[in-house]
Amino acid sequence: LPRFSIWTLGCQMNRSDSEEMAGRLLAAGCTEAPSLEAADLVVVNTCAIREGAEAKVIGRQGHLRRLKAANPGLRVVLTGCSVRASNRSTLARRYPAVDLFLRPDEEPELIDRLGLASAQSPIGEAAATATVGRTATSDAVHLARLRARAVAEGQVARGSSVSAWLPIVYGCDKTCTYCIVPFSRGPERSRPFDAVMAEAAALADAGYAEVTLLGQNVNSYGHDLAPEDRFAHVDADRWAGHRLDRRGRPDLAELIRPIDEMRDAEGGARVPRLRYVTPHPWGSHG
């Protein structure tokens, strides 16, 4: 089984995604290499928001080709926001050292695509495609379910014993001129309230002092979930380019309060520092 190295660029969501990929590789029996040069499998988790991040990956292609010449068994996977449904046909020319391209919503398929899954492993779920405007893009609808499975099975290799990322919503419904996220990560898909709370409680049990709630748009959380009686007190709309009906659905505040209120036997906060990134101004007012 290969020794792997994951090179992560860009935002906190990419870092969280890399922890999940590393956890799946470790669960499959792979080991982490001490460096890129010592690896048999290199996963590059890219960012397409910043031009400098893309330039770094393009500039590293020659180095990766030399590593592959020295180690013919080396495989290179490129994922992250640089890989989109609309540009897949041109990627091989831009990244000649790469063997496999995965969209962000295809990252849970990494083990299956590389042929590393054991016969006893559950069959992976293939990613679906959605449409933003007239452009084919990722559909993150399955990611919440797969995240819950990864957490339950201990397949998240967290990079810190103090701070932890906790994704609460995937994708983005905004189509800002400068931003590629809706076309790379697809429309907004919120994780179920109970799944987020279960992961937060597990992090508290593990002694994490800081938890950061993640999303491309954290204050859009919950608008796509089904209404429930327990959230009947939530009676609000939000204007996010279009009207969001929040009535009976959990929102960011509904997550923050119970996590903040978790207490240990001495009455101290079980999560001493609770943070969130990144909110969008459109979701912050009625």
Side-chain angles (χ1 to χ4, degrees), residues 2-3 39-42 67-76 99 114:
R3 295 169 297 171
D40 306 304
L41 169 65
V42 172
L67 291 179
K68 293 180 79 172
N71 178 8
L74 173 64
R75 288 182 286 181
V76 179
D99 301 295
L114 292 172

Side-chain angles (χ1 to χ4, degrees), residues 82-117:
S82 291
V83 185
R84 304 182 290 280
S86 59
N87 73 345
R88 196 187 291 272
S89 62
T90 65
L91 291 174
R93 292 197 300 272
R94 194 171 197 186
Y95 303 103
V98 174
D99 301 295
L100 176 64
F101 297 96
L102 295 176
R103 297 181 332 212
D105 63 320
E106 294 173 332
E107 289 169 357
E109 301 174 34
L110 176 65
I111 301 301
D112 292 328
R113 295 281 195 98
L114 292 172
L116 300 176

Side-chain angles (χ1 to χ4, degrees), residues 23-278:
R24 289 190 171 97
L25 286 165
L26 291 168
C30 302
T31 56
E32 189 166 4
S35 66
L36 194 82
E37 290 72 19
D40 306 304
L41 169 65
V42 172
V43 180
V44 185
N45 197 351
T46 63
C47 172
I49 302 297
R50 300 170 180 85
E51 184 178 2
E54 277 199 296
K56 285 181 182 179
V57 179
I58 294 170
R60 192 65 73 91
Q61 295 301 294
H63 180 56
L64 291 172
R65 282 200 302 267
R66 290 190 293 274
L67 291 179
K68 293 180 79 172
N71 178 8
L74 173 64
R75 288 182 286 181
V76 179
V77 178
L78 191 133
T79 185
C81 288
S82 291
V83 185
R84 304 182 290 280
S86 59
N87 73 345
R88 196 187 291 272
S89 62
T90 65
L91 291 174
R93 292 197 300 272
R94 194 171 197 186
Y95 303 103
V98 174
D99 301 295
L100 176 64
F101 297 96
L102 295 176
R103 297 181 332 212
D105 63 320
E106 294 173 332
E107 289 169 357
E109 301 174 34
L110 176 65
I111 301 301
D112 292 328
R113 295 281 195 98
L114 292 172
L116 300 176
S118 69
Q120 290 76 33
S121 299
I123 297 173
E125 298 184 44
T129 301
T131 302
V132 174
R134 299 179 180 178
T135 304
T137 184
S138 305
D139 191 333
V141 67
H142 63 300
L143 293 182
R145 184 168 56 256
L146 295 181
R147 174 71 181 190
R149 182 189 300 172
V151 170
E153 296 177 358
Q155 294 183 6
V156 179
R158 299 191 185 273
S160 168
S161 59
V162 177
S163 301
W165 310 116
L166 201 175
I168 65 172
V169 57
Y170 299 102
C172 182
D173 285 349
K174 315 298 181 293
T175 52
C176 303
T177 302
Y178 65 88
C179 186
I180 201 69
V181 167
F183 304 100
S184 62
R185 291 186 173 271
E188 289 167 355
R189 306 294 189 191
S190 300
R191 292 181 64 193
F193 179 86
D194 291 334
V196 176
M197 290 302 303
E199 185 169 347
L203 292 171
D205 290 342
Y208 282 91
E210 179 178 279
V211 172
T212 302
L213 308 180
L214 290 183
Q216 311 304 138
N217 243 348
V218 287
N219 51 351
S220 287
Y221 173 78
H223 75 88
D224 55 319
L225 298 176
E228 298 183 54
D229 289 343
R230 58 177 166 163
F231 301 118
H233 59 282
V234 179
D235 185 14
D237 290 341
R238 289 289 186 273
W239 177 256
H242 58 281
R243 183 66 61 184
L244 298 182
D245 182 2
R246 297 281 198 178
R247 289 169 293 186
R249 298 169 171 85
D251 57 13
L252 179 61
E254 290 297 304
L255 283 177
I256 289 175
R257 290 190 193 100
I259 296 174
D260 180 61
E261 290 168 359
M262 289 192 299
R263 292 291 183 265
D264 58 26
E266 287 74 38
R270 295 180 64 201
V271 179
R273 293 191 297 275
L274 179 60
R275 305 178 186 273
Y276 60 85
V277 292
T278 47

